[in-house]
Every structure is written in C-alpha cells, then in structure tokens.
Amino acid sequence: MVNKLGNKPLVGIGLRTPHYSHVIQNKPQIGWFEIHSENFFMQEGNSLHVLDTIRQDYPLSLHGVGLSLGSTDELDKSHVQKIKSLLNRYTPFLVSEHLSWSKIDGIYFPDLLPIPYTEESFSVFARNIDYVQTILGRELLIENPSSYLEYKDSSLLEVDFLSNLCKKTGAKILLDLNNVYVSACNNDWDIKIYLDAIPPELVEEIHLAGHEFRSFEDGSTLRIDTHASQVCTEVWSLFNYSIKRGISAPTLIEWDTNIPDFEILMKEATLAQTYLNSK
Amino acid sequence: MVSLRDYQKKFLESYHDESSFIDLIKADQVSASNRLSVYHTSIRETLRKALTLTYPLTWKLIGEECANGAAYAFIQEKVALPQTGNLDEWGETFPKFLSVYPPLQTLSYLPEFAHLEWLQHLAYNAPDKEPLTIQAFKGLPPESYEKLSLELHPSVHLFSSSYPLDQIFAVVNEKVDTITLENRKSYALIIRPYKTVIIHWLPEASFSFFSLLKKGLSLLQVMSQIEDETFQLNQTLSFAFQAGLFSDHNLKIHESKDFVEDEA
C-alpha cells in the first residue's frame, strides 16, 4: 500500500496554496497529501499543473465538500463526473465526502449541514452513495461532520447511522476525531460510547485538526471546527485511544484557516506518526 | 414527523429569516437560535471569502470594510446564492449587484471594473492551449491569408467599458499614485496564454478586429467590417502573435465556401 510504511499507516497533510512552492522545492518527508476536490475542478491551468508536479512525488487523497450526499435534490451528475476526471488524472488512494447535505431546490450552501438521523435520511444517503460509488467505480469514505445542533426527530445515534450506512453501501469511514470531540462537547454526547461503537475495520482514514470556542451574547458557548489551530490535547488523547482500540489508518493533519508555516504542520504530522508507530 | 425535504426547505427559509426551522432543533444551555446561527455565519463567511478571492482588486479599490458590506448584502439575496457546489463557478452576478447597491451608487465605474475582474477569473480557469506561433503559417501561400479563420485562445475575453478602466487598474496596481479620471472608453483583452493572466488595453479598431475574429469570421470578412482607416493589420497581427492570442487557424472551411461563390 502506498499509504503505509511497513505495516504502519502514514500521516499526510492537507495541501493548501501557500505551501505549493515549499512542497515542490523541498520535497518534505511526508507520507501523502490531501486536496479538496472542488479546488481542482477547473479544466486546466496553473493549479492543476502544480498538482501534476506534486503527484509525481506523493500519493494523493481527494476530499470533497460539495457533493451533498444527504440532499433530497437529485445529485449533481456533472459534479460526480468532475471527481471522476480527477480520479483518472491523479489515481488517488482515498476518495472521501461528508455525512451532511448542502443543496436544496438547486441552491448550494457552502457548508456541511446536519441531517436528522432517521430512516428516511438513511435511505437517501444509501441511494446517493451507491450512485456515486457506481459512477466512480470505487468505494467512498464518509466523514462524520462537526455538529452544532441536533434535531428533535433524530431516532438514531450518529455513530450507528454512519456505521450502518457504510456496512450497507460498502463505503468506509473517515473518522474525524476533532469533529467527534467538537460534536460530543456541543451536544453532550459520551465520546467513549461513540468511539467504542466504531467498527475499526471500517475506518480507512483519520482526520486531526484544531477548533475554537465561540461565545454568544447570553454567555453560552459552542466549539467550532475552524481548522485554524493546532490539534488540542483532548483530541490527541482520542487519537491514542482509537489506536489502542485497533483503529489505525492513514491520518491527516488539516489546517485550512490562518495557515501557518509548513514546519508547524510537519511537527503535528511527526507527532501523529509517533502515535501511529507506537501501537 | 417532518420529511427530510421539509427540513432542507426550512433551512433555506431560515437563511432568510423566514422559517420555523429552530422548532426542529434540540435546545439546552445553548439556544436553538444560537446553534443555528453558527451555520448561517459559516455560510456567509465562506461566500464572502470566495468573493474576496475572485474580486481582490475590487476589495482593494473600495476598501475592505465597504467591500465586505456589499458582499454581505449580496449573499443575503436569494438569487445570489450558489447553484453549484464549486465556488469557482460562483459570483458572476456580484458586479451587477454593485450597480444597484445604494452605498456604492456614486462609483459608477465600479460594476464594470468588477466585471473585468470576473473575466480575469474566467481566464485563469480556462482550458490550456499552446498559442500558435508565426511558424504555423509558414506552409500557407500568402494569397490564402485573407481566407483564414483565426481561432482566439480559449482564455481570451474581450470587454469594452464606458470608463477608462486602464487608469483605475494602474492606480489599484500601484503603478501610479493618483489619476484624473479621463472621460473616455477603454477596451480590454484578457488572456492567460501560459500561467499568468494578462490584460491588454487595445485601441478601439483592434478591439473590433479581435471581437469579429472571436465570432468566427474569416480574416477577409473581418477586414471588410473594419472602417477605421488608421487600423494597421500587420501591426495588429504581429502584436497578436507576440501575445499568444491565437490557438488555431482554419483555412479549409472558408476556402470551400469562397470556392463555391467563385464558381457561381
């Protein structure tokens, strides 16, 4: 496997524009890079040429944010085709999307919106994942989102919804541990119950990132998944706990806002690799 | 139980403050409205940021505070929301919105300035194609030149403005400190022959020449419509090859058409 060193999964870094030159010139010792698929939907141009160059030295993972798998609207077939074009060009070792929705009546919200965890939602997701996997000719990874609300009508736990969905469709789980932590804190979930319910064999990728607090005028607070800081101590502990549970997969350091020098990301990646190697 | 479609429709309504969506949300120490506001804020910030990336010079021209205000007003409008999951394809109508946004009514040139930035954005994302060099015409007999149809590079966009946008661009790009805005039009040709998007400011006749070529007319047909006696074909073609404006040529179609006409 290109994404493993011996029998140990490798750590990757989210590839962002400010680091293109550094990566091409210095070829840092990192296992792989992940890109946001939609950032490379143009037909040609400099961004694709840069990615062509980087792909010569590193495995890539495609991470989508715009498929809207939880929409009752019909899936955007041209969007799926654009992902397929990227697959043909870059042969990524992982392709992922989110357990969320963003499109209604032809309008897209650029966010990962929460769905009620109901039987109807399950059917919609299963149908859409099946369609995408058929067109792409490969399995998708589905990421648990950060959530800031829960619906009164949800009848299933998120973790059960996600695990059962993957079992039904043949998709795999992208386990974002920062999202688990943020959602658990915001919605008063038991994190241990969540992680213990994840079937380790379904997890094909792990995400680690930072988050921040937002305070409201009434004094209440929520944790917000900003990807703008280092991974917090509690999330590193969840990573360690997950590895001990047998959840071991290629792991990504994500940092999307206030992007720091590449060396800061390398330190985070080195720490993550140390955890993975320690099992 | 509320259907999934109704959840999603109510969320759309909630973005415009017209919904009972918060009744669907569990609330505890954090209110349902505060929880929902996280999503609304995130959407607005992502869209605003997308506009700043597509229109960086507009932001520079009118200042961050003013531009952000226009962006927030724009993205609150139902018709402005994206109809694509790819934000690179979104934002085309922002310049038109600027023309009706009351706080910016005095900057009459701003919508056209912003539209030119949109065309730069399109050029950046256009397909690649190797520009033709003069060598491509070596095998053609000179008498066939006038029957040529010259294909402009796929990244080429042409835009005429009622305002001297070249002057405004020079200020924004800090090539000059101040200007006295002249009362004249400007003619821009935008292209990305290789990695970098370039704006060429053209004389009116050259602009007409390239606009007619872009419509697919042959060189002969184009020249028959250029009335400006000062227009220099050789000089314009020389510029076009240097700037990489052509990506293909076609002699056959116009030859056969003209041949039939000749026979008749």
Side-chain angles (χ1 to χ4, degrees), chain B:
Chain B
M1 183 179 282
V2 180
S3 72
L4 182 58
R5 185 152 195 86
D6 280 343
Y7 267 94
Q8 294 173 348
K9 278 180 170 289
K10 283 175 184 286
F11 182 87
L12 173 60
E13 292 163 9
S14 79
Y15 185 76
H16 300 288
D17 301 322
E18 300 164 9
S19 168
S20 54
F21 187 79
I22 58 171
D23 296 340
L24 304 171
I25 302 170
K26 281 186 192 173
D28 45 21
Q29 72 277 16
V30 184
S31 68
S33 59
N34 281 342
R35 290 176 179 277
L36 178 58
S37 73
V38 175
Y39 292 99
H40 289 170
T41 302
S42 170
I43 290 165
R44 290 190 188 105
E45 281 307 306
T46 302
L47 292 176
R48 182 196 63 80
K49 193 175 171 189
L51 290 174
T52 67
L53 293 173
T54 303
Y55 297 99
L57 297 179
T58 300
W59 253 250
K60 196 172 174 183
L61 179 64
I62 63 176
E64 194 171 333
E65 190 178 341
C66 189
N68 284 345
Y72 287 130
F74 174 63
I75 59 191
Q76 199 54 33
E77 301 221 330
K78 280 181 184 172
V79 292
L81 289 172
Q83 295 182 8
T84 167
N86 174 13
L87 288 182
D88 273 338
E89 296 171 352
W90 173 77
E92 182 177 8
T93 58
F94 185 55
K96 191 176 177 188
F97 172 81
L98 293 175
S99 69
V100 296
Y101 179 56
L104 295 173
Q105 289 295 288
T106 54
L107 303 179
S108 54
Y109 53 82
L110 185 62
E112 293 188 12
F113 179 88
H115 183 68
L116 189 54
E117 270 209 285
W118 173 256
L119 297 180
Q120 284 185 289
H121 175 73
L122 292 184
Y124 182 79
N125 289 315
D128 289 339
K129 202 160 183 183
E130 187 71 24
L132 282 187
T133 65
I134 194 74
Q135 303 302 318
F137 296 85
K138 266 198 163 176
L140 293 176
E143 60 271 21
S144 69
Y145 287 179
E146 63 184 20
K147 297 173 185 173
L148 272 174
S149 175
L150 292 161
E151 186 178 294
L152 292 177
H153 192 275
S155 67
V156 165
H157 291 274
L158 291 144
F159 182 61
S160 67
S161 170
S162 310
Y163 303 94
L165 296 186
D166 51 320
Q167 280 191 297
I168 302 169
F169 263 77
V171 174
V172 175
N173 288 321
E174 296 169 358
K175 289 180 178 168
V176 294
D177 291 333
T178 56
I179 50 164
T180 303
L181 212 56
E182 296 166 7
N183 183 18
R184 62 169 170 82
K185 294 182 172 183
S186 58
Y187 303 92
L189 184 151
I190 305 102
I191 182 171
R192 181 183 58 79
Y194 296 104
K195 289 184 177 179
T196 308
V197 177
I198 298 164
I199 299 179
H200 296 286
W201 301 101
L202 303 176
E204 184 176 0
S206 299
F207 181 85
S208 301
F209 175 79
F210 290 118
S211 298
L212 291 166
L213 277 182
K214 195 168 187 186
K215 286 181 180 173
L217 273 60
S218 71
L219 209 48
L220 181 66
Q221 290 167 324
V222 170
M223 286 310 296
S224 71
Q225 294 189 40
I226 299 289
E227 293 173 353
D228 188 337
E229 291 178 0
T230 63
F231 179 73
Q232 298 282 331
L233 178 61
N234 288 347
Q235 198 179 329
T236 305
L237 287 176
S238 173
F239 154 75
F241 281 112
Q242 282 175 20
L245 301 193
F246 300 131
S247 60
D248 208 348
H249 66 78
N250 190 325
L251 183 60
K252 200 174 179 182
I253 293 172
H254 292 287
E255 262 191 342
S256 59
K257 196 189 290 177
D258 291 348
F259 181 70
V260 171
E261 286 171 2
D262 286 349
E263 276 205 328

